[in-house]
Amino acid sequence: MTDFGEVLKNVGEFGRYQKLLVVMLCLINLFNAFHMFGQVFMGISVPHYCNTSWILTKSPNLTQEELLNLTIPQNADGSYSRCEMYETVDWDIESIEKHGLNKTEKCRDGWVYDTSEQESTLVTEFDLVCMRKEEIEISQSIYMLGLVIGSLIFGPLGDRIGRRPVILISMLMQLSFGVGAAFVSHFYVYTTLRCFVGISMSGLIINNLVLVAEWVGSAQRAYATISGHVCFAIGCMILAGLAYGVRNWRLFQIIGSVPIGLLFFYIWVLPESPRWLLTKGKTEKAKILLQRAARINKTTFNEELISQLHEDKVTKSANMIDLFRSQKLRKITLIMSLVWFMNSLVYYGLSLNVGSFGLDIYLTQLIFGAVEVPARAGSIFMVQILGRKLSQVSSLLLGGAMCLIITAIPKDLPVVTTALAVIGKFSIASSFSTCYVYAAELFPTVIRQNGVGLCNMAARVAGILAPLISLLSKYHSAIPMAIYGSGPVICSVLCFFLPETRGKELQDFTQEDNTTKSNQSDIPKDCSINENGYGHELDTKDKKSTRL
C-alpha cells in the first residue's frame, strides 16, 4: 500500500506547478496587509480644539491666536484644551477681552481640526475625539471579531466544500465590503463593513495555509508557507508608503481594496487540494488535478498509485469536537491555540501602536514592515535547521523578553524603546510564521482545517483584545508591555510538550480512524499504529513498513 506522500513525490513535491500556486497565494497575502493595518493610518488623530466660531459674530476680525486665547482654556503645559471651551456669553468683545471667560464646558458645536498634514481621516470626518476617541480601538476590535467569526465559519466550511471555493468567496467578500467601506456616511456602518472584511480575511488566511501545505512536499512546506508571510511583510512596507502619499482616508481605502479584484482570473486557475478530494472520495477529480500538475512539472503521473490507496480512506467530515477526543490531539490543540493566541496578542499589540513609541508613525511602520522580511524569511531556514519545536520556543522567548525590558525604559528614550520593539516584532513575526507551519503539520488532513481554524480563532480573539489592552496604559504605561512580555515566555515552556514534525509526512487520519481501520482489517497481525498515530502495514515479504 502507499500514501498520498508517495503520490505527491511522483507528481513532483515542489515543481513548477506548486511554485505557481505559491506565487498566486502570495499575491493575496500582499494585499491582505492593507486590511490588517490600514486603519492605523485612517484613524490618525490630528490636533483639534472646540469650534468656538460664536465669538466671530462679535468680532469677525479676530486672529486665530486671539480666538483661541479668548475661548479655549489652556492646560498646565501651555497647550490648548482639546475637549473643553469657555461657556458662551452675551457680552460684547470689549467686555470679554477686559474680564475674560472662566467657566468651562464640553465642546458644543463640534471641533476644528488641523488638516495641514492629514486631508481627511476617520477622526476628522466622524468626530472620533474626546468622549468618542476610544471608538477607533473598538472599531479595530470589531474588525478582529470578524476574523473570529470567519474562523468559525470558514474553517469547518473549508473541510466541507473544499479549500478553493472558500478562497474565492473570501476574495469576493474582501473586494465588495472593502470598497464599500470607502463610501459610507456613518462610522458604525463603516465598522460593520470592516467586520465583514475581517470575516473574509479569515477565510483567506486559513485556506491559503492549508492549500499550500497539502500541495507541497514536507521538505519544501516551510519554504512555501513562509513565502506568503514574507509577501505580507512586503505589503506592510508598501502600506507605509501608500499611507504617506495618500492622506485622504476614503481614497486610501479604495486604493487598498481594489487590487484584490485584479485576481479575478483565479476562478479558472486556482486548484483544489487533491489530498482533500481523495479523503472525500472524489478520486477522478483528484486524478485530473494531479495529471495537470505532472504535465506542468514535466513528470509522468502513475495513476496506479491512486488505486493503491485504501478504499476505506473515504471518511465522514470531522468537526472541532474531534480535536479533543484523544489525549494527544487534545494536548496539541490546547497548546497550539495558546501559542497562536499569544503570538497574535503581541504581534497586533506592537503593530497597532506604531505611533506610541515616540518616532514618526510612517517611519516606524516602514521599519516594522522591513524587519518582518528577514524575520519571516529567516524562519524558513530556522525551522529546517533547528526544527519546528525549538524554533517556536526560541522566538517566543526572545519576543517576550524584549517586551518585558521595554517596561523598564524611560519615556524620554524613544529610540531605545523603538529599537527594542523592533527586535520584539522581529521575534514575534518569526514565531508567527513558525506556528503556521507547525500547526499545519500537527493536525491530520481530515481535521486540519478545523484545527488550524480553531488556532486561528484563538489568534483572532487575541486580536480583539490587543487594541483594548493598549487602553490600560492610562492606568500605568507599563501594563500593556508587561502583558505582551509575560505571555510568550509562558508559551515557550509549554511548546516543549509538542512533538517535532520536521521531515515527516502529513498525517491524513486521526489515531482513532487508523485504529478502526486496523481493527477492521482481515490481517490485523500485519498492521500497527505508531506513537504518532500513523497507520502502518507490514509487508511480510520484504519486511518493510509503509505509512498509510
Side-chain angles (χ1 to χ4, degrees), residues 6-279:
E6 295 298 322
V7 176
L8 198 57
K9 289 178 181 178
N10 176 251
V11 172
E13 292 186 292
F14 197 56
R16 183 182 300 176
Y17 187 83
Q18 284 91 342
K19 291 176 182 176
L20 289 173
L21 175 62
V22 170
V23 170
M24 290 170 60
L25 298 180
C26 280
L27 289 176
I28 296 177
N29 285 328
L30 187 72
F31 301 143
N32 283 347
F34 169 81
H35 293 290
M36 198 64 76
F37 300 124
Q39 186 171 294
V40 172
F41 301 96
M42 291 188 291
I44 290 179
S45 180
V46 299
H48 58 272
Y49 54 86
C50 297
N51 179 8
T52 55
S53 58
W54 64 269
I55 201 171
L56 294 178
T57 62
K58 303 179 182 298
S59 180
N61 296 323
L62 287 175
T63 65
Q64 183 71 12
E65 184 177 356
E66 289 173 336
L67 182 147
L68 293 176
N69 285 331
L70 291 174
T71 60
I72 303 295
Q74 292 184 333
N75 299 314
D77 60 359
S79 62
Y80 292 103
S81 174
R82 294 188 172 189
C83 300
E84 289 186 332
M85 57 181 283
Y86 288 121
E87 286 187 355
T88 60
V89 294
D90 293 330
W91 306 346
D92 56 41
I93 191 63
E94 288 79 11
S95 299
I96 293 174
E97 290 177 339
K98 180 179 179 180
H99 301 287
L101 304 175
N102 51 25
K103 294 187 65 175
T104 61
E105 62 179 348
K106 301 297 182 182
C107 299
R108 295 174 52 185
D109 302 313
W111 289 261
V112 175
Y113 299 95
D114 180 2
T115 58
S116 59
E117 293 188 5
Q118 299 291 332
E119 178 184 339
S120 172
T121 71
L122 292 168
V123 171
T124 62
E125 183 151 347
F126 299 113
D127 289 331
L128 304 179
V129 294
C130 300
M131 297 299 292
R132 297 187 64 193
K133 65 180 181 179
E134 295 179 352
E135 291 187 22
I136 285 290
E137 284 76 16
I138 294 173
S139 174
Q140 186 66 34
S141 292
I142 292 176
Y143 166 78
M144 292 295 182
L145 175 62
L147 290 169
V148 176
I149 297 172
S151 299
L152 292 171
I153 296 174
F154 288 128
L157 190 62
D159 278 332
R160 183 174 297 275
I161 68 174
R163 289 54 164 141
R164 177 182 178 275
V166 172
I167 290 175
L168 296 176
I169 293 171
S170 299
M171 290 173 63
L172 179 60
M173 287 181 61
Q174 188 181 101
L175 174 65
S176 303
F177 293 112
V179 173
F183 296 94
V184 300
S185 57
H186 297 282
F187 182 68
Y188 299 135
V189 177
Y190 163 84
T191 300
T192 302
L193 294 181
R194 281 270 296 168
C195 182
F196 280 102
V197 171
I199 293 173
S200 69
M201 282 284 288
S202 270
L204 293 174
I205 291 171
I206 298 172
N207 289 275
N208 282 9
L209 168 65
V210 174
L211 187 60
V212 167
E214 294 179 348
W215 259 110
V216 177
S218 60
Q220 297 84 13
R221 192 176 300 124
Y223 171 80
T225 301
I226 298 175
S227 293
H229 297 178
V230 173
C231 284
F232 181 84
I234 295 173
C236 291
M237 296 174 64
I238 296 174
L239 175 64
L242 180 63
Y244 184 81
V246 181
R247 304 297 179 93
N248 183 302
W249 81 268
R250 293 186 184 274
L251 180 60
F252 183 67
Q253 177 73 25
I254 293 172
I255 294 175
S257 301
V258 166
I260 194 71
L262 301 177
L263 306 181
F264 69 92
F265 63 92
Y266 281 20
I267 297 174
W268 298 283
V269 299
L270 187 69
E272 184 55 88
S273 165
R275 187 187 290 264
W276 176 83
L277 289 171
L278 289 171
T279 63

Side-chain angles (χ1 to χ4, degrees), residues 309-326:
L309 294 172
H310 270 310
E311 292 182 2
D312 59 0
K313 282 203 170 184
V314 178
T315 182
K316 65 178 182 180
S317 298
N319 54 57
M320 287 192 180
I321 297 177
D322 295 316
L323 293 168
F324 301 92
R325 293 190 187 278
S326 69

Side-chain angles (χ1 to χ4, degrees), residues 525-528 536-541 543-546:
K525 64 181 179 179
D526 292 334
C527 296
S528 66
H536 283 65
E537 180 177 356
L538 303 179
D539 192 328
T540 56
K541 293 183 180 180
K543 305 300 182 184
K544 292 182 179 178
S545 176
T546 306

Side-chain angles (χ1 to χ4, degrees), residues 2 26 121 128 161 199 255-256 265 298 309 329 334 339-340 365 376 381 425 445 453 459 473 504 518:
T2 187
C26 280
T121 71
L128 304 179
I161 68 174
I199 293 173
I255 294 175
F265 63 92
K298 297 182 179 180
L309 294 172
L329 268 178
L334 293 176
V339 168
W340 279 57
Q365 175 65 30
R376 305 280 194 177
F381 305 101
K425 181 70 178 295
T445 300
S473 60
K504 295 182 179 179
S518 296

